[in-house]
């Protein structure tokens, strides 16, 4: 029997409930797909509030070492205590493991309520840079000695005269590097080629920020030409492919893109973008197909192979323990994980079961409430009932 171990961080709030649902679905999918020839087991690790209370840290070196050893982990949502000077565990995981790709697939499942007329046209995969930009941002609060020093330096030595209210301005700096941009963009292009996608769009704000956001765009175009042999045709950039149409490399300014995903979502396929843009874009796209409650995600280092798959929503402490949380975000992330480790048949079973269940209107409270508002018919299930319904459709 082939066996694979995965690190599981259940998370805070609703984390335990959705993690339990996910492991049950994954176990049954692996059994159904491989008839006992393959087995997946989960090694539990602690992070977040539970780890803080036990070990005095929200993320320990032992957990990081465990993830590095096993290469792949999946986690529920983790809470960052407010007002205690504690950094985000999610950000810390991404930076300490150098998980520079945040991969967020967004697709529509029939039966899910949507605020747009043609949600079936939304089928994109977002590659968001995960270690630079605001994730590596440096800030000084308004009126602080640091802010005063930086403002004085900018005025005196750099000739900056754009700071309109220097006495009351906070100052922030965001680093965007050529290396960081190109490795993210390479991951997006490689994915698009492997998965036979139509185009890759660089989303940026380079019309305003010429050297950070604009640098991201320019480095992406350079990489397309130098590594992939991209050529120009009719003012557009294409990467040549054999046996299929060439891969189009596009670009779009971030604010226009947020409009376009509503007006003409069918024109976009794979998205490569910086950290802050990607944050907005991922959640906006998720809203078009049912919300982040059903949005999967992964954080990956394509060089080391280390990957952490995750529920993309928050800890939702207000509904924790009530048996009403939607477990689909982490379940669909688990399907991504199964594909990643070569258990694609099990991943396909899960995705097929999700499609069947949602098409027939079986949903948890979040989607059911939206259905009622949209005058849609649905069947309200608890988290446990929804999980069992999914499992019964793993065929």
């Amino acid at each position: 029997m082939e066996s694979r171990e995965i690190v599981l961080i259940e998370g805070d709030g609703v984390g335990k409930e959705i993690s339990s649902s996910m492991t049950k679905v994954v176990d049954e999918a692996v059994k159904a797909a491989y008839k006992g020839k393959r087995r997946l087991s989960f090694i539990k690790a602690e992070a977040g509030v539970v780890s803080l209370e036990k070990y005095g840290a929200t993320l320990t070196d032992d957990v990081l070492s465990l993830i590095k050893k096993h290469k792949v982990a999946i986690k529920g949502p983790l809470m960052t205590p407010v007002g205690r000077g504690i950094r985000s565990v999610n950000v810390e995981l991404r930076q300490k493991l150098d998980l520079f790709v945040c991969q967020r697939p967004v697709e529509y499942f029939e039966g899910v309520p949507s605020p747009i007329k043609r949600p079936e046209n939304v089928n994109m995969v977002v590659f968001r840079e995960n270690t630079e930009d605001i994730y590596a941002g440096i800030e000084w609060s308004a009126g602080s000695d640091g802010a005063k020093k930086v403002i004085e330096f900018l005025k005196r030595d750099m000739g900056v005269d754009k700071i309109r209210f220097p006495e009351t301005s906070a100052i922030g700096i965001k680093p965007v590097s050529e290396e960081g941009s190109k490795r993210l963009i390479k991951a997006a292009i490689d994915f698009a080629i492997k998965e036979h996608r139509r185009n890759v769009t660089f989303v940026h704000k380079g019309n305003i920020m010429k050297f950070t956001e604009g640098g991201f765009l320019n480095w992406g175009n350079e990489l397309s030409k130098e590594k992939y042999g991209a050529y120009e045709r009719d003012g557009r950039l294409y990467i040549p492919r054999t046996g299929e149409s060439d891969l189009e490399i596009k670009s779009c300014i971030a604010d226009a893109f947020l409009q376009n995903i509503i007006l003409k979502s069918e024109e976009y396929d794979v998205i490569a973008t910086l950290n802050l843009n990607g944050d907005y874009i991922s959640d906006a796209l998720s809203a078009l197909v049912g919300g982040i409650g059903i949005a999967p995600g992964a954080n990956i280092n394509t060089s080391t192979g280390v990957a952490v798959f995750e529920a993309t929503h928050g800890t939702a402490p207000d509904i924790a323990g009530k048996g009403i949380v939607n477990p689909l975000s982490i379940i669909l992330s688990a399907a991504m994980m199964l594909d990643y480790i070569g258990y694609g048949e099990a991943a396909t079973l899960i995705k097929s079961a999700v499609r069947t269940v949602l098409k027939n209107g079986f949903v948890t409270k979040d989607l059911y409430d939206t259905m009622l508002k949209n005058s849609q018919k649905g069947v309200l299930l608890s988290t446990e009932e929804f999980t069992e319904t999914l499992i019964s459709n793993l065929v």
Side-chain angles (χ1 to χ4, degrees):
M1 178 189 292
E2 179 186 328
S3 182
R4 181 69 188 259
E5 294 180 323
I6 304 295
V7 178
L8 169 63
I9 300 172
E10 290 183 332
D12 303 313
V14 296
K16 189 170 184 178
E17 293 168 80
I18 64 171
S19 293
S20 174
S21 176
M22 178 272 297
T23 56
K24 289 176 183 176
V25 171
V26 168
D27 286 345
E28 294 301 322
V30 171
K31 287 178 186 176
Y34 305 112
K35 312 300 181 185
K37 294 180 180 179
R38 288 182 173 184
R39 185 173 69 90
L40 204 64
S41 58
F42 293 94
I43 303 171
K44 288 188 179 182
E46 293 174 328
V49 173
V50 172
S51 177
L52 181 64
E53 292 172 350
K54 280 189 177 183
Y55 310 112
T58 53
L59 181 65
T60 64
D61 290 339
D62 287 345
V63 172
L64 291 171
S65 297
L66 193 65
I67 296 172
K68 289 177 183 177
K69 176 184 175 182
H70 293 281
K71 293 289 189 181
V72 177
I74 188 164
K75 70 177 190 66
L78 294 169
M79 183 182 296
T80 302
V82 177
R84 295 172 63 177
I86 297 172
R87 66 186 302 184
S88 164
V89 191
N90 295 319
V91 174
E92 194 172 2
L93 267 171
R94 294 162 185 170
Q95 292 188 334
K96 288 190 173 180
L97 295 172
D98 198 23
L99 305 175
F100 60 86
V101 172
C102 179
Q103 185 176 333
R104 293 277 298 270
V106 185
E107 64 176 305
Y108 178 68
F109 293 96
E110 186 180 351
V112 175
S114 167
I116 60 175
K117 290 183 178 179
R118 299 293 300 275
E120 65 274 12
N121 288 341
V122 180
N123 187 352
M124 304 179 209
V125 182
V126 178
F127 281 72
R128 170 193 177 196
E129 205 292 318
N130 220 11
T131 61
E132 297 192 320
D133 195 18
I134 64 165
Y135 267 12
I138 307 159
E139 289 188 299
W140 295 271
S141 61
S144 67
D145 289 341
K148 291 175 182 176
K149 288 179 181 177
V150 173
I151 291 171
E152 180 58 28
F153 166 74
L154 291 172
K155 290 168 63 179
R156 184 188 65 239
D157 294 354
M158 304 299 291
V160 172
D161 59 2
K162 295 180 179 180
I163 304 173
R164 300 186 65 185
F165 307 105
E167 296 302 319
T168 58
S169 289
I171 293 291
I173 297 173
K174 67 173 192 177
V176 176
S177 71
E178 179 179 358
E179 180 181 4
S181 298
K182 283 187 173 179
R183 66 180 185 171
L184 180 279
I185 292 166
K186 179 181 182 300
I189 293 175
D190 287 346
F191 173 87
I193 292 172
K194 178 184 175 184
E195 298 297 325
H196 309 285
R197 309 292 288 220
R198 295 170 295 124
N199 57 62
V200 176
T201 303
F202 305 146
V203 180
H204 62 94
K205 194 64 179 170
N207 58 325
I208 302 298
M209 303 296 288
K210 307 291 186 182
F211 306 117
T212 49
E213 304 267 345
F216 181 85
L217 171 63
N218 293 334
W219 293 321
N221 288 335
E222 284 178 12
L223 180 75
S224 301
K225 294 174 182 177
E226 294 170 1
K227 182 170 180 60
Y228 299 93
Y231 64 93
E232 290 188 22
R233 184 179 72 212
D234 300 326
R236 297 186 176 185
L237 202 60
Y238 295 88
I239 291 175
R241 294 191 286 193
T242 303
E244 60 185 312
S245 59
D246 293 344
L247 178 68
E248 185 178 2
I249 301 298
K250 308 200 293 186
S251 68
C252 188
I253 294 171
D255 48 319
F257 183 77
L258 288 169
Q259 172 183 250
N260 292 347
I261 60 174
I262 298 172
L263 298 179
K264 46 185 179 180
S265 52
E266 69 279 1
E267 294 188 7
Y268 299 101
D269 203 342
V270 176
I271 311 304
T273 190
L274 288 167
N275 185 274
L276 182 58
N277 295 331
D279 200 3
Y280 298 149
I281 289 165
S282 297
D283 284 5
L285 282 171
S286 297
L288 301 183
V289 297
I292 59 173
I294 61 172
N299 306 280
I300 304 169
N301 183 312
T302 56
S303 299
T304 65
V306 175
V308 177
F309 298 81
E310 65 182 352
T312 61
H313 54 74
T315 58
D318 56 319
I319 62 170
K322 296 182 179 180
I324 61 175
V325 62
N326 186 343
L328 274 181
S329 178
I330 198 169
I331 288 173
L332 290 170
S333 294
M336 289 180 69
M337 177 191 74
L338 290 167
D339 266 328
Y340 186 79
I341 64 173
Y343 283 46
E345 295 86 355
T348 298
L349 286 180
I350 291 175
K351 292 286 289 291
S352 178
V354 170
R355 287 192 180 93
T356 299
V357 169
L358 293 177
K359 183 178 180 180
N360 290 327
F362 295 102
V363 293
T364 47
K365 189 176 186 303
D366 57 335
L367 295 180
Y368 184 76
D369 288 348
T370 308
M371 284 178 163
L372 291 180
K373 292 177 183 177
N374 292 357
S375 300
Q376 278 182 253
K377 291 183 179 180
V379 180
L380 176 61
L381 301 179
S382 68
T383 305
E384 185 176 353
E385 290 169 338
F386 184 81
T387 302
E388 292 305 318
T389 303
L390 270 182
I391 290 171
S392 68
N393 281 275
L394 289 170
V395 293

